[in-house]
Amino acid sequence: MPELPEVETVRRGLAPALEGARIAEVIVNRPDLRFPFPDNFVGRLTDAEVQSLARRGKYLLAPLSTGETLIAHLGMSGRFVIERMQDGEAVPGVFYHDHDARAKKHDHLIVTAVKGNQSSAITYNDPRRFGFVDLVPSSALGECRHFRMMGPEPLSPEFTGQTLKQSVAAKQTSIKAALLDQRVVSGLGNIYVCEALYRAGISPKRAAGRISAGRLNRLVPIIKQVLNEAIAAGGSSLRDFSATDGQLGYFQHDFSVYGREGAPCLGCGAPIRRITTAGRSTFYCSHCQR
DNA sequence: CGGGACTCCTGCCAGC
DNA sequence: TGCTGGCAGGAGTCCC
């Protein structure tokens, strides 16, 4: 599922139920996801208060009253679903798996968060189990293995044409691979890299280190624009992504190239091409992107 | 060392 | 209808 816009959509969906809530119950249905659950995971979470819910790249971060921060990564197919209860009654309009009978099968983690008279069951479901959760000391978040090497947030002022130029200057690899590298910039994935490069008119095959400062200066605001549009649309719903309340994002209707192999380029009409690099599909227009 | 290929896992869909 | 192969939003690891 999730690149930055989808994770941000999930964050916004979970925040009202989690921020300021006490974790009353934790159910773990298997020993591991991509990695084993941390030691004594249930004990370290139970009765902790969630101070806030933040996002870094494609990670969700929940700093806790215990001094640890709960980290979640959704991998390819992870998602969170909320069932909210108020005074023992389900809150109308909030769905729990109604839209998808497959969901219950891979419910790996269920957290009950209590806030005032509201209780929310928050379920992490992930068929492929490429996602994971972790608990790290809040005081050393930046030094933990997940964030130590991570590049700037693409929507932050620290991500500029200049900083991008600097981080890819020595790279022989393609601009596509460079932008997917979370050490260069954090949060981009296959969809939004394809879309941004199309809008910027840059070939995904072009060597990252050989792109002029001027073109990178134009690329960076385009990346921000694509991400902001996708966040505003609630992310992209391919296959199984939905927000925590079951609502579907709709940015997939605005794709210019992703998933459009053979369809006419919106700019010139030439067929969109698909190539495979490192096992990943890349969609682009060989006429408009140079 | 940088960079590319391969790998983890399950589900779905097109094609036969 | 049923099987098979290919493909999927990520990213760590291995090998050249």
Side-chain angles (χ1 to χ4, degrees):
Chain A
M1 166 200 30
E3 302 180 36
L4 186 153
E6 290 74 36
V7 178
E8 178 60 22
T9 298
V10 169
R11 190 195 69 76
R12 293 178 184 188
L14 293 178
L18 272 179
E19 290 183 332
R22 180 180 64 88
I23 297 176
E25 188 183 25
V26 179
I27 298 170
V28 171
N29 287 328
R30 52 174 297 126
D32 54 23
L33 296 170
R34 176 167 194 171
F35 307 115
F37 282 95
D39 291 341
N40 190 24
F41 183 68
V42 172
R44 286 155 75 183
L45 274 189
T46 303
D47 282 335
E49 186 172 310
V50 180
Q51 296 174 326
S52 61
L53 189 62
R55 179 192 55 72
R56 175 83 172 91
K58 302 172 190 173
Y59 289 78
L60 289 168
L61 291 80
L64 307 173
S65 56
T66 58
E68 294 193 294
T69 292
L70 175 63
I71 289 174
H73 192 291
L74 301 178
M76 290 276 262
S77 57
R79 60 173 158 180
F80 282 99
V81 179
I82 302 187
E83 178 186 34
R84 291 171 82 177
M85 307 287 285
Q86 188 162 338
D87 299 327
E89 300 286 322
V91 175
V94 178
F95 304 101
Y96 182 60
H97 294 161
D98 287 356
H99 60 291
D100 190 345
R102 288 169 303 162
K104 284 185 180 295
K105 186 172 178 185
H106 299 290
D107 288 352
H108 306 306
L109 170 65
I110 302 168
V111 169
T112 304
V114 175
K115 187 175 174 181
N117 64 348
Q118 283 210 359
S119 167
S120 306
I122 297 168
T123 300
Y124 178 69
N125 178 287
D126 185 2
R128 295 175 76 179
R129 303 202 303 278
F130 289 169
F132 58 90
V133 296
D134 201 0
L135 277 167
V136 300
S138 301
S139 57
L141 209 54
E143 283 71 56
C144 80
R145 61 182 175 134
H146 309 293
F147 303 123
R148 201 175 44 217
M149 303 295 284
M150 188 172 271
E153 281 293 309
L155 293 175
S156 75
E158 285 74 51
F159 182 57
T160 66
Q162 259 190 338
T163 59
L164 179 59
K165 177 75 183 165
Q166 212 164 25
S167 54
V168 303
K171 286 198 180 290
Q172 309 293 310
T173 192
S174 68
I175 185 66
K176 167 89 188 306
L179 292 175
L180 285 176
D181 185 341
Q182 304 296 296
R183 295 170 298 187
V184 171
V185 57
S186 59
L188 295 180
N190 210 24
I191 291 178
Y192 298 107
V193 168
C194 287
E195 292 299 313
L197 288 175
Y198 172 77
R199 290 193 193 186
I202 297 172
S203 167
K205 295 190 284 189
R206 185 159 293 276
R210 296 210 193 106
I211 301 178
S212 72
R215 297 189 87 193
L216 293 179
N217 278 333
R218 288 189 291 278
L219 172 61
V220 163
I222 288 171
I223 289 172
K224 294 175 192 261
Q225 184 183 42
V226 170
L227 293 175
N228 279 322
E229 286 177 22
I231 291 169
S236 301
S237 297
L238 300 184
R239 298 171 194 84
D240 52 11
F241 173 74
S242 63
T244 52
D245 59 359
Q247 290 293 305
L248 298 178
Y250 52 87
F251 191 74
Q252 68 277 12
H253 302 302
D254 294 329
F255 290 167
S256 297
V257 288
Y258 188 85
R260 295 192 66 241
E261 180 184 14
C265 168
L266 303 175
C268 74
I272 297 299
R273 293 194 185 182
R274 182 174 78 90
I275 56 174
T276 301
T277 317
R280 323 267 335 255
S281 285
T282 298
F283 299 90
Y284 72 110
C285 173
S286 60
H287 179 255
C288 295
Q289 293 174 257
R290 296 290 172 165

